Amino acid sequence: MTDAVSNPSFAEALPTWAKIGFVSFGGPAGQIALMHKILVDEKRWIDEQRFLTGLNFCMLLPGPEAMQLATYVGWRLHGIAGGLAAGLLFVLPGAALILALALAYAQYGQLDVAETVFLGVKAAVLAIVVEALLKVAKRALKGPFDWALAAAAFVAIFAFAVPFPLVVIAAGLVGYVRGTSAPAPPALSLEPIRVPWQSTATTIALWLAIWLLPLVAIGAWAGPGHVLTECAWLFSKLAVVTFGGAYAVLTYLAQEIVQTYGWLTTGEMLDALGLAETTPGPLILVIEFVAVVAAWRHGGEPQFGMALLGGFVALWATFAPCFLWVFAGAPYVERLHSMPRLKAALAGITAAVVGVIMNLTIWFALHVLFRSVGKWSFGPLQMELPDLLSLDPRAAVLSVLAFALLFGFNRGILQTLAMTALAAVAWQFIVPR
């Protein structure tokens, strides 16, 4: 690939960022491929080497890597304004759609027809998560050490209920220590951008204030224990530990939302993920759905206003730190290639994420296929096990259909979701409960 030959104006770039935001279906892999096709192959706004270097940088960061990659490319083209435009336009179309769907769900989600549709959606989500597990494992597990780390992460979470943040920290430390003996890679041919440390410190202080001050103000207004305050804390915490993408933290997120806070049921959490799968933008937008429904139910009056505030808190707490990470770290991107310890820490986290997603897959399967799932504990062991007699035949058949569509017939995510939802409705009419 030759060097980029086009340098668009800010006004020329905006329609392209908007287009990417509206058509960014398919999860991070599809979104990154879409941006590569448009930005590198078609527009030639950034060359291959810088695109891949930026991608490696974004994979080091907590948060949605595709959104952060768009922000990084926008920053390279037009500075802070370009990064803001690219990042916001990547998120806003999906966020607007999720808001509308969440408000509708808060009012009408318990209708029989809605429950039937969501049964089909859940079956499709199970197949989608399995596909994500296979893709991540293929990319992340390069040798016996990676397989062992993934297995250890799975056992820690599934059998011993070790909190997700601790698993991430431990995996990063193991990878970092292992990387101390790694040889330094060859230097990049890119010229690093030189910035004084004072400029970086100013950027960090500014974006920390942008991120935290509005959330602190809302928390002070709502008071301790209010759903808005709890949303601000939970989603800010997740913004710091979401290494490995949304799939890696969904089990932890679901446990917090269902078990700790009681905002949604397990079935409703699966509905939220299904809706997030059908919309453009980062999958982590599922948190907006959760916050809107939680604030509608538990925020007090007026319900609509509280729901809107809940959505704002979730989006702000999740995506404001993304701009902090990118704008503070972007000037140093070309130097990351010569830091083997940091890359080894990322490799350790990535391997552990496979085990985390495996736990998520089993959690989904249990709650989709069985009507009754209980806790089993023996000493330090703590596991969720199903009542085998509570197997839901409709869910089982729909799941087989979803796997056949996704893996056997190579249907896309949206087609699989639509066809399993229609099949669930047809089943309801043919074999009503």
Side-chain angles (χ1 to χ4, degrees):
M1 174 62 63
T2 58
D3 289 340
V5 296
S6 176
N7 186 21
S9 68
F10 182 77
E12 291 171 335
L14 283 179
T16 297
W17 295 126
K19 174 185 175 182
I20 290 172
F22 277 101
V23 300
S24 58
F25 295 93
Q31 292 161 354
I32 290 167
L34 172 71
M35 283 191 283
H36 184 276
K37 177 179 175 60
I38 293 176
L39 301 175
V40 179
D41 295 337
E42 295 178 1
K43 302 291 186 180
R44 299 177 69 185
W45 288 349
I46 186 170
D47 60 70
E48 181 85 17
Q49 190 176 22
R50 283 189 171 87
F51 183 89
L52 294 178
T53 303
L55 176 59
N56 290 337
F57 163 63
C58 293
M59 292 185 69
L60 282 169
L61 304 175
E65 61 266 36
M67 175 266 182
Q68 291 173 149
L69 180 59
T71 303
Y72 170 74
V73 177
W75 173 85
R76 285 213 64 112
L77 291 174
H78 300 111
I80 298 295
L84 284 172
L88 290 174
L89 288 173
F90 190 89
V91 170
L92 289 179
L97 189 52
I98 286 286
L99 175 62
L101 292 171
L103 290 170
Y105 187 91
Q107 287 189 304
Y108 308 116
Q110 302 306 313
L111 296 177
D112 288 343
V113 64
E115 290 183 352
T116 301
V117 168
F118 281 122
L119 179 62
V121 169
K122 292 171 188 175
V125 168
L126 176 58
I128 291 166
V129 173
V130 170
E131 183 185 46
L133 170 65
L134 296 176
K135 287 181 177 178
V136 173
K138 183 178 179 180
R139 184 180 73 236
L141 305 182
K142 305 298 185 182
F145 178 83
D146 293 334
W147 281 94
L149 201 53
F154 169 72
V155 171
I157 291 183
F158 180 76
F160 296 97
V162 177
F164 170 78
L166 292 182
V167 173
V168 169
I169 293 170
L173 289 174
V174 169
Y176 183 87
V177 171
R178 187 168 182 259
T180 56
S181 60
L188 280 174
S189 61
L190 304 177
E191 179 65 26
I193 298 173
R194 303 294 179 181
V195 293
W197 68 267
Q198 295 92 336
S199 176
T200 301
T202 300
T203 298
I204 292 173
L206 173 63
W207 279 95
L208 276 174
I210 291 173
W211 171 18
L212 297 175
L213 289 181
L215 300 179
V216 170
I218 290 176
W221 171 75
H226 192 275
V227 64
L228 294 178
T229 306
E230 292 176 334
C231 280
W233 163 245
L234 174 62
F235 298 133
S236 292
K237 181 170 61 173
L238 284 175
V240 179
V241 300
T242 49
F243 295 94
Y247 284 115
V249 295
L250 281 174
T251 306
Y252 172 70
L253 176 65
Q255 289 172 345
E256 289 290 297
I257 289 167
V258 174
Q259 298 174 11
T260 304
Y261 294 102
W263 293 335
L264 276 70
T265 66
T266 299
E268 290 170 335
M269 188 64 203
L270 293 173
D271 293 342
L273 180 60
L275 288 176
E277 290 279 11
T278 66
T279 55
L283 182 60
I284 199 64
L285 282 172
V286 67
I287 54 91
E288 181 192 13
F289 179 97
V290 168
V292 168
V293 174
W296 177 282
R297 293 175 178 173
H298 306 291
E301 297 294 338
Q303 283 183 306
F304 184 78
M306 285 295 176
L308 292 180
L309 269 178
F312 168 80
V313 166
L315 292 174
W316 197 269
T318 300
F319 293 105
C322 292
F323 293 109
L324 164 60
W325 316 141
V326 174
F327 293 152
Y332 305 93
V333 163
E334 279 79 16
R335 305 180 195 180
L336 294 177
H337 191 75
S338 60
M339 301 173 69
R341 292 185 184 180
L342 189 57
K343 293 181 70 177
L346 172 64
I349 292 172
T350 304
V353 160
V354 177
V356 176
I357 297 177
M358 181 65 185
N359 177 65
L360 169 68
T361 304
I362 293 177
W363 182 84
F364 272 152
L366 293 178
H367 288 281
V368 169
L369 299 176
F370 296 92
R371 295 189 179 100
S372 176
V373 179
K375 288 278 189 181
W376 179 85
S377 61
F378 181 77
L381 293 175
Q382 301 179 50
M383 293 185 286
E384 287 191 343
L385 296 176
D387 177 0
L388 298 180
L389 297 179
S390 69
L391 178 68
D392 187 339
R394 292 192 308 160
V397 171
L398 291 169
S399 296
V400 171
L401 172 62
F403 276 91
L405 290 170
L406 201 61
F407 292 94
F409 296 97
N410 295 317
R411 301 296 183 185
I413 289 176
L414 292 180
Q415 283 184 304
T416 301
L417 285 161
M419 295 176 75
T420 52
L422 289 173
V425 174
W427 183 304
Q428 179 72 6
F429 283 105
I430 296 170
V431 189
R433 288 189 291 179

